């Protein structure tokens, strides 16, 4: 029997032995819990590195033969006490710890005390060097109690190939024999005792149809359930193959870090991130950099068909100490056992990110994988091209994109990758950090750099895929990021606000119609009040552009500069087009004038190429135009600095049919849009969360990227705000999580947002 132990803990900073006899006055908390709530930025990174104590009481009606406690994640190490007895010292960090406490429990009330130490211990990976992310502190993943009366299933590994052949390794504590029941869509299709079984007419697991089966194991009156999928994974010099079909892996790296709470958020938030990556960012793969992540996140990846590359804890540093290396081996073993039943997992990341070669250590790590899971390939991420590769897949962090002129180096320049599967595991990132409130030109270039990298990647035969750095901005140490403890390398912000690059990734998928105008339509937003080409990200076939009611023209995806992308950006480089109406000018001369005016809008009159300047001068003489006349033509068909001008309309078409329409122009007003990711919170094993998002948009519905309006957020009823109540927009966006409290019956709660003359109340049901 599994019993969740996640509500009503006592928490206090520090630990003393006296706490075992009398726990001090404390704060009531629920798990997952972050021991120190951080500021959004500019915090003291030493504040979360220390000792903290948690206490929980629970009752047992009887003593079972076996009682276990599992902690899914504690940062970083902890001592466990049960009924004033010291049970042991354990290393967790990013992996679960399950402890047999059968000799310590008693009938009636029991007391657990967990004394955690969140210091960055140099003998524990990923620590020992400098790390470009933070770990946080606390019991940040769920806690469970298990009781068994007889034999029990200690571990299980399910191997299911695409042809329907099923193999099961069950590690049983005791002498009972398990019986297996196979379910498909909730219906039992087979029952057997053998550890191998052939399933006929199997429904394979794929990106388009992530079909899951369920294996229920009966053992001494207990039922254990695992979901899995039948699929074949192959990497070779030709690329990556899923069920024999070549698939290009297009994705981003994810840190499990959230505003204020670091990593301490429950299932609903973890699952929202997986859905965000697939549906809002258009990814078909995610890398869990640089450590094992939540089972809830991985479960949702399984369910929606988001492929996963996991990774052992670490960043660049390899410890020479025996204990450091033994700890890495332990964490590797724990990660594989934790994650090997996930069908979305397509390779194990078994090399410290960007570390040097270490034949002895990585040979040892590979041996652990061969023992625990010989069915999956291994992946090694490095940042130099001639590295020794003991893994099946040579992954390289390619940060050669110093401008829009170059995306990636050719994989033929990776001598260490010969004979291996190949993957670009990181790119972009620190090469061009960008905020959501940066000037338009930087936000656009950031997105186009991602487009250039992905286009270069998809044009290379034999490259299995490319993942850029990274999905979300993240908390980091003082030596990295923007001196505010945030690395702004994401295509979305720390609080999940989408930058322009996010829409580029979303446009590469075909789940929903995408039409995003990345550029500003305000000339004074650009140097010298110019009007450069506008960039649109869309998965449509073409875009019609109007100014007012007049059609400028139809624009196609830029396949010249992005020949390999599924959906290249659309570049609007003509602001006049079919609108030009000057009858006294011949059709031939109109083309030259339109070309000259568009060039001037983009580069300025003073930078006209010599040949075009001569042609324009001759036409001015021919039609008796003064410079003022030309300037007035520019104002009429493009705009004058500070003039109102007509709205622009962009119409995306697919197969000749309109699929999306947006407008843009000079904004007249702003308004707030407030939303919740879910309005019903259900307490199950843990508390539940909803994501509160406040955005300021102009009257066209475009985000106000330079808005920093302040708000007060109040909550009433059985909910709590996971962060401060006084908040402000960052670049027009604000996101924060609201958590449920434990209730005995369904109850109503509310969130009230106030600020700048605005007030809105949102109702939440808690059950």
């Amino acid at each position: 029997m599994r019993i969740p132990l996640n509500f009503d803990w006592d928490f206090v900073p520090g630990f003393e032995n006296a706490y075992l006899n009398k726990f001090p006055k404390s704060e009531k908390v629920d798990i997952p819990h972050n021991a120190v709530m951080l500021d959004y930025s500019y915090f003291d990174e030493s504040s979360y590195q220390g000792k903290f104590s948690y206490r929980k009481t629970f009752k047992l009606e009887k003593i079972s033969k076996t009682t276990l406690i599992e902690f899914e994640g504690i940062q970083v190490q902890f001592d466990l006490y049960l009924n004033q007895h010291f049970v042991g010292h354990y290393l967790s960090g990013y992996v679960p710890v399950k402890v047999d406490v059968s000799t310590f429990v008693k009938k009636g009330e029991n007391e657990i005390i967990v004394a955690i130490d969140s210091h960055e211990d140099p003998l524990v990976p990923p620590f020992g060097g400098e790390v470009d992310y933070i770990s946080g502190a606390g019991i940040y993943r769920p806690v469970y109690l298990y009781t068994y009366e007889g034999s029990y299933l200690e571990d299980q590994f399910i191997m299911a190939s695409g042809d329907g052949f099923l193999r099961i390794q069950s590690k049983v504590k005791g002498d009972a024999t398990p019986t297996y029941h196979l379910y498909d869509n909730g219906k039992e299709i087979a029952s057997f005792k053998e550890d191998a079984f052939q399933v006929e007419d199997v429904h394979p697991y794929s990106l388009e149809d992530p079909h899951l089966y369920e294996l229920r194991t009966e053992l001494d009156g207990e039922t254990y359930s695992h979901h899995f999928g039948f699929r074949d994974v192959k990497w070779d010099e030709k690329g990556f193959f899923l069920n024999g079909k070549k698939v290009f892996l297009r994705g981003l790296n994810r840190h499990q870090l959230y505003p204020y709470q670091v990593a301490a958020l429950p299932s609903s938030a973890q699952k929202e991130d997986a859905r965000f990556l697939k549906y809002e960012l258009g990814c078909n793969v995610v890398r869990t950099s640089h450590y094992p992540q939540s089972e809830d996140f991985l479960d949702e990846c399984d369910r929606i068909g988001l492929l996963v590359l996991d990774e052992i804890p670490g960043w660049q540093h390899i410890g020479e100490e025996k204990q450091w290396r033994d700890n890495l081996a332990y964490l590797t073993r724990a990660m594989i056992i934790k994650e090997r039943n996930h069908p979305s997992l397509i390779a194990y990341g078994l090399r410290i990110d960007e570390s040097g070669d270490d034949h002895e250590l990585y040979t040892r790590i590979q041996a652990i994988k061969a023992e625990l899971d010989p069915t999956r390939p291994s992946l090694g991420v490095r940042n130099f091209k001639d590295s020794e590769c003991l893994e099946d897949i040579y992954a390289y962090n390619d940060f050669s994109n110093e401008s829009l002129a170059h995306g990636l180096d050719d994989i033929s320049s990776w001598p260490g990758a010969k004979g291996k599967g190949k993957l670009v595991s990181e790119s972009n990132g620190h090469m061009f950090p960008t905020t959501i409130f940066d000037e338009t030109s930087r936000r656009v270039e950031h997105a186009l750099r991602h487009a250039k990298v992905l286009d270069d990647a998809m044009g290379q035969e034999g490259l299995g895929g490319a993942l850029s750095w990274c999905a979300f901005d993240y908390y980091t140490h003082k030596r990295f990021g923007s001196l505010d403890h945030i690395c702004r390398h994401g295509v979305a912000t720390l609080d999940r606000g989408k930058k322009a690059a996010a829409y580029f990734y979303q446009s590469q998928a075909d789940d929903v119609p995408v039409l995003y105008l990345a550029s500003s339509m305000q000339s004074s937003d650009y140097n010298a009040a110019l009007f450069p080409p506008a960039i649109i990200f869309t998965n449509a076939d073409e875009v019609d552009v109007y100014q007012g009611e007049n059609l400028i023209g139809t624009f196609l995806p830029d396949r010249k500069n992005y020949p390999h992308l599924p959906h290249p950006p659309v570049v609007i480089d003509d602001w006049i087009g079919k609108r030009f109406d000057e009858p006294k000018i011949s059709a031939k001369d109109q083309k030259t004038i339109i070309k000259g005016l568009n060039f001037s809008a983009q580069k300025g009159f003073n930078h006209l190429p010599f040949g075009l300047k001569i042609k324009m001068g001759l036409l001015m003489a021919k039609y008796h135009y003064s410079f003022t006349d030309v300037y007035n033509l520019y104002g009429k068909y493009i705009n004058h600095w500070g003039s109102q001008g007509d709205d622009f309309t962009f119409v995306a078409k697919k197969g000749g049919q309109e699929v999306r329409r947006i407008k843009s122009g000079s904004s007249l007003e702003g308004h707030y849009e407030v939303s919740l990711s879910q309005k019903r919170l259900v307490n199950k094993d843990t508390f539940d969360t909803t994501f509160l998002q406040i955005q300021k948009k102009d009257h066209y519905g475009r985000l106000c990227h330079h808005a920093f309006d302040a708000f007060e957020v109040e909550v009433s009823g059985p909910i709590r705000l996971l962060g401060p109540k006084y908040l402000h927009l960052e670049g027009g966006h604000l996101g924060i999580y609201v958590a449920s409290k434990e209730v005995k019956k369904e109850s109503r709660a509310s969130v009230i947002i106030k600020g700048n003359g605005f007030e809105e109340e949102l109702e939440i049901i808690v059950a």
Side-chain angles (χ1 to χ4, degrees), residues 692-749:
L692 169 64
Q693 186 170 232
I694 306 172
Q695 297 181 92
K696 188 171 187 178
K697 295 186 176 180
D698 65 19
H699 70 287
Y700 301 100
R702 289 171 54 81
L703 194 67
C704 298
H705 286 280
H706 302 295
F708 289 82
D709 307 28
F711 292 92
E712 178 183 4
V713 180
E714 297 179 344
V715 297
S716 64
I719 58 175
R720 56 196 172 95
L721 195 63
L722 296 181
K725 64 182 293 186
Y726 297 106
L727 300 155
H728 67 83
L729 302 175
E730 184 179 78
H733 176 272
L734 187 160
I736 193 168
Y737 292 86
V738 178
S740 60
K741 294 181 180 179
E742 196 171 18
V743 294
K744 294 183 178 179
K745 63 178 183 179
E746 186 171 289
S747 305
R748 295 182 183 274

Side-chain angles (χ1 to χ4, degrees), residues 425-443:
S425 38
E426 295 180 26
S427 61
N428 286 300
H430 70 277
M431 300 301 293
F432 204 76
T434 304
T435 71
I436 196 171
F437 52 84
D438 270 329
E439 60 174 333
T440 300
S441 57
R442 189 171 185 88
R443 298 197 311 269

Side-chain angles (χ1 to χ4, degrees), residues 375-670:
T375 70
R376 276 187 184 83
S378 60
L379 174 78
V381 173
R382 62 267 293 153
N383 59 354
F384 55 108
K385 297 178 179 180
D386 57 351
S387 167
E388 178 187 34
C389 186
L390 300 174
E391 305 83 25
D392 304 295
I393 305 153
Y394 193 100
Y396 176 59
N397 290 347
D398 186 337
F399 290 107
S400 62
N401 56 318
E402 296 181 350
S403 72
L404 289 174
H406 176 80
L408 298 172
D409 289 345
D410 195 282
I411 57 175
S412 63
S413 67
W414 304 359
K418 187 176 181 180
K420 303 284 186 176
K422 299 173 186 67
L423 179 79
V424 172
S425 38
E426 295 180 26
S427 61
N428 286 300
H430 70 277
M431 300 301 293
F432 204 76
T434 304
T435 71
I436 196 171
F437 52 84
D438 270 329
E439 60 174 333
T440 300
S441 57
R442 189 171 185 88
R443 298 197 311 269
V444 171
E445 181 172 345
H446 180 237
L448 291 178
R449 281 172 174 247
H450 280 271
K452 178 61 176 172
V453 164
L454 188 60
D455 184 73
D456 276 10
M458 297 189 76
Q460 298 202 43
E461 185 67 29
L463 183 60
L467 295 92
S468 270
W469 189 263
C470 59
F472 310 112
D473 294 346
Y474 57 95
Y475 283 137
T476 189
H477 289 87
K478 61 186 177 183
R479 294 178 183 84
F480 303 96
S482 304
L483 297 179
D484 61 353
H485 284 92
I486 297 180
C487 263
R488 300 184 186 272
H489 299 169
V491 303
T493 62
L494 178 64
D495 62 347
R496 278 50 181 172
K498 292 165 69 175
K499 305 176 190 177
Y503 293 95
F504 160 68
Y505 280 100
Q506 188 180 32
S507 73
Q508 299 311 293
D510 291 295
D511 301 301
V512 295
V514 177
L515 176 62
Y516 179 75
L517 175 64
S519 302
S520 167
M521 304 306 294
Q522 186 72 23
S523 65
S524 54
D525 215 14
Y526 301 98
N527 294 341
L530 298 176
F531 211 53
I535 304 298
I536 288 178
F537 300 124
T538 183
N539 49 15
D541 300 331
E542 59 188 27
V543 178
D544 288 343
V545 181
Y546 296 81
Q547 186 169 27
E549 299 298 322
N550 301 309
L551 176 67
I552 295 175
T554 297
F555 296 83
L556 303 178
D558 182 7
R559 297 201 175 277
K560 177 181 178 181
N561 291 305
Y562 305 93
H564 308 108
L565 290 177
H567 303 290
V570 174
V571 181
I572 314 299
D573 56 1
D574 180 358
W575 296 114
I576 304 174
K578 298 180 179 180
R579 293 188 303 120
F580 197 80
D581 183 20
E582 303 297 328
K584 73 175 185 178
I585 301 176
S586 71
K588 179 182 177 182
D589 291 342
Q590 284 184 23
K591 291 181 180 179
T592 300
I593 292 174
I594 290 171
K595 183 178 180 181
L597 293 178
N598 277 316
F599 188 95
S600 298
Q602 298 169 25
K603 303 290 186 179
F605 283 103
N606 293 334
H607 297 282
L608 282 170
F610 181 74
L612 185 56
K613 187 180 292 186
I614 294 297
K615 290 180 180 179
M616 289 288 286
L618 291 173
L619 290 175
M620 289 172 67
K622 178 178 180 180
Y623 293 104
H624 306 290
Y625 272 32
S626 67
F627 182 80
T628 299
D629 294 326
V630 175
Y631 186 69
N632 288 335
L633 276 181
Y634 180 88
K636 178 179 179 180
Y637 290 108
I638 297 180
N639 76 342
H640 283 309
W641 183 28
S643 64
Q644 176 61 40
D646 293 324
D647 292 348
F648 290 92
T649 302
F650 304 86
V651 181
K653 293 181 178 179
K654 200 172 185 68
Q657 300 297 313
E658 179 179 331
V659 291
R660 286 289 305 275
R661 174 185 291 249
I662 59 175
K663 285 190 173 184
S664 187
S666 301
S667 179
L668 298 177
E669 60 184 21

Side-chain angles (χ1 to χ4, degrees), residues 181-412:
H181 303 272
L182 185 61
Y183 285 77
D184 185 13
N185 287 323
K187 180 181 178 181
E188 185 173 353
I189 61 172
S191 178
F192 53 96
K193 289 183 175 290
E194 301 82 11
D195 58 9
F197 188 79
Q198 180 66 48
V199 179
E200 302 299 330
D201 300 319
V202 71
H203 190 154
Y205 182 92
S206 67
L207 286 168
E208 301 77 20
D209 183 11
H211 191 81
L212 296 175
Y213 288 78
E214 182 186 8
L215 182 71
R216 297 181 190 174
T217 303
E218 300 287 345
L219 181 67
D220 255 7
E222 295 282 348
T223 301
Y224 308 81
S225 175
H226 284 107
H227 287 89
F228 68 96
F230 289 95
R231 88 287 185 276
D232 292 320
V233 168
K234 178 185 176 184
W235 295 75
D236 61 22
E237 288 191 287
K238 295 181 179 180
F240 168 74
F241 298 83
L242 181 62
N243 300 325
K245 177 184 175 182
K246 190 173 183 180
V247 175
F248 185 85
L249 297 171
R250 180 184 68 243
L252 293 158
N253 290 264
R254 183 225 186 200
H255 270 305
Q256 64 174 19
L257 303 175
Y258 299 88
Y260 310 111
Q261 298 302 308
V262 191
L265 287 181
S267 174
S268 53
Q270 303 291 337
K271 291 179 178 181
E272 282 175 6
D273 259 13
R275 293 192 294 270
F276 193 100
L277 279 152
K278 177 157 186 175
Y279 302 121
E280 297 295 320
L281 300 180
C283 297
N284 61 19
V285 67
V286 59
R287 174 171 167 239
T288 63
S289 48
H290 301 289
Y291 40 76
Q293 297 185 9
S294 162
E295 282 299 290
D296 294 311
F297 176 77
L298 298 179
D299 285 344
E300 190 69 0
C301 291
D302 291 341
R303 190 186 70 81
I304 65 177
L306 177 63
L307 301 179
V308 176
L309 304 168
D310 68 8
E311 192 166 41
I312 53 178
W315 192 73
Q316 296 189 345
H317 172 75
I318 296 177
E320 296 299 324
E321 305 88 348
K322 181 179 184 302
Q323 186 176 345
W324 193 99
R325 299 163 84 87
D326 288 347
N327 282 336
L328 181 65
Y330 161 77
L331 294 169
T332 300
R333 180 175 293 273
M335 181 187 78
I336 293 174
I337 292 172
K338 171 175 113 58
E339 301 182 356
R340 59 186 176 176
N341 287 322
H342 289 285
S344 59
L345 180 64
I346 55 173
Y348 294 113
L350 299 183
R351 181 185 174 105
I352 298 293
D353 180 71
E354 296 187 347
S355 63
D357 290 338
D358 191 317
H359 185 83
E360 184 277 330
L361 179 65
Y362 291 134
T363 298
R364 180 182 179 185
I365 298 301
Q366 287 300 307
I368 293 171
K369 186 205 79 74
E371 171 199 347
L372 296 176
D373 184 2
T375 70
R376 276 187 184 83
S378 60
L379 174 78
V381 173
R382 62 267 293 153
N383 59 354
F384 55 108
K385 297 178 179 180
D386 57 351
S387 167
E388 178 187 34
C389 186
L390 300 174
E391 305 83 25
D392 304 295
I393 305 153
Y394 193 100
Y396 176 59
N397 290 347
D398 186 337
F399 290 107
S400 62
N401 56 318
E402 296 181 350
S403 72
L404 289 174
H406 176 80
L408 298 172
D409 289 345
D410 195 282
I411 57 175
S412 63

Side-chain angles (χ1 to χ4, degrees), residues 671-687:
H671 66 278
Y672 300 114
E673 293 184 4
V674 180
S675 64
L676 294 170
S677 60
Q678 55 179 353
K679 295 182 179 180
R680 181 180 177 85
L681 302 182
V682 180
N683 295 312
K684 294 180 180 178
D685 289 352
T686 72
F687 63 86

